[in-house]
Every structure is written in structure tokens, then in C-alpha cells.
Amino acid sequence: MAKSSQDKYPVPLIRDYGDLASLVFEGKVYHVSNPTVGTPVVGQTSYAATLATVTLRNLGDKVLVPLYADFIQSGTVAGGRIIFNVQVLEADQFTSATALTVKNSNWRYGDSGGVLAYHTATIPTLTTGNARLVHSGEAFQTVSAANADNNVQMFPYPGFCVVRPKGGMNIYTNAATTGPGWSFNIAWAELDV
């Protein structure tokens, strides 16, 4: 595993899927999905920093390296577009949410790692300077069955940022009139500091 120029955080070679497979085999990749298959998790009608669609809390002693976050829209949303934002927190901030079951991508490992995952989270007002926007975008659609079930990639590419131990990551989704419903699959690697 290569190190950064500051020799603090490992820089995994995860852009090559052969290396990603190695991380899975070594038991370093975890994933989470909807608590009930076929029942979507609903986003917000407008952006609010205190309301996240999905929250990842890195309470372990390893860094969290995001790999992918596939969100499939359920049904249609009035307003023509869905806005999404991904924020990283230097220090975890969390009030309450519904817990998601985290699983190791290598099924021989039973541990759930150091990252906890939640949906429909309530977060306290973010401390000034704690949250950093690391990715954002829009998914456009019209209200028709032909444009339903959009697949939105919440992460631009594997390893686009690193979440420090005791930090966190929030994924926000909102649409102007009706909060979008999502089925999702999120994966990340947990690597030694």
C-alpha cells in the first residue's frame, strides 16, 4: 500500500479493479443497502444541513475510503431535477437516525468494521469549518414513467476522498416538490492509518 507525501494516510490503488478485488479478499471492504428490499428511503424536499439521507460515522481507528454509492430512484419526482451533495466531517456530528446493517463484502468475515451507517438522519447544526462539500450534482428528469428509476452515482470515482477516524460523511438528496425515494448500495474500504 503506497503512502501519501505526508506519510500519514494510505493511498490505496483502488482505481484498478484488480486492487479493489484484493481489498475485498482481505476483508477491508464493507457495504450497506436498504434495510428492506423494495422499500425506498426518502430524501428531502429541500436541502437542510441537519437532515441527511444517509450518514456514515467513522467511529473506528481506520480511515474510510469511499468506493461507490449507487442510488436508484424509485418512482418519479415533480420538479424535474434531484440535487445531491456529499459532505465530509472532520469530527463526527450526529443526533439520531435509523440504523443500517453494515456487512463485510467478504462473507467469511462477520465483523462490521468501525463505520456505522444510518438513513434519514438528524444532525445538529454543523460546527463552523467542520463540514466540507466534496461532491455535488443534479439528476434531471420529467414526471413520467419513462424517466423513473434514475441511477445516480453519489461518488465521482473510488477513493475520491478519505474520511479520518472519528469523522463522518453525509449524503443529502432533495427535490423541489417531493423528496425522492431511493434504493441504494454504498461501499467503502477501511484501511490502517
Side-chain angles (χ1 to χ4, degrees):
M1 214 38 77
K3 293 264 187 181
S4 71
S5 60
Q6 296 177 351
D7 203 33
K8 274 183 114 173
Y9 295 118
V11 181
L13 304 175
I14 55 178
R15 290 186 182 138
D16 179 287
Y17 279 92
D19 292 323
L20 178 56
S22 295
L23 290 175
V24 171
F25 182 77
E26 294 170 10
K28 296 179 180 178
V29 175
Y30 299 84
H31 70 271
V32 68
S33 59
N34 288 62
T36 304
V37 175
T39 301
V41 169
V42 178
Q44 291 73 42
T45 55
S46 63
Y47 172 79
T50 57
L51 299 171
T53 306
V54 175
T55 293
L56 300 176
R57 303 176 68 202
N58 187 8
L59 302 182
D61 57 359
K62 299 180 179 182
V63 295
L64 179 161
V65 180
L67 299 176
Y68 59 82
D70 293 328
F71 277 56
I72 310 297
Q73 184 191 346
S74 172
T76 58
V77 171
R81 67 180 183 162
I82 298 168
I83 299 170
F84 59 91
N85 295 295
V86 180
Q87 288 181 338
V88 170
L89 307 177
E90 291 185 29
D92 176 56
Q93 290 187 245
F94 180 80
T95 301
S96 65
T98 302
L100 295 165
T101 302
V102 175
K103 292 291 186 181
N104 194 303
S105 292
N106 185 332
W107 288 83
R108 73 178 179 169
Y109 293 98
D111 64 316
S112 59
V115 175
L116 300 178
Y118 300 87
H119 74 85
T120 319
T122 301
I123 302 160
T125 300
L126 296 173
T127 304
T128 301
N130 188 34
R132 299 282 188 268
L133 181 67
V134 291
H135 185 59
S136 62
E138 295 178 314
F140 291 92
Q141 68 156 25
T142 59
V143 184
S144 70
N147 291 305
D149 301 323
N150 286 333
N151 184 352
V152 178
Q153 301 293 324
M154 295 295 173
F155 301 157
Y157 55 87
F160 74 102
C161 69
V162 173
V163 179
R164 66 189 304 161
K166 310 307 180 231
M169 174 178 278
N170 295 323
I171 299 173
Y172 300 88
T173 65
N174 61 275
T177 307
T178 305
W182 301 105
S183 292
F184 59 87
N185 187 11
I186 304 170
W188 63 90
E190 295 184 24
L191 305 173
D192 294 318
V193 177

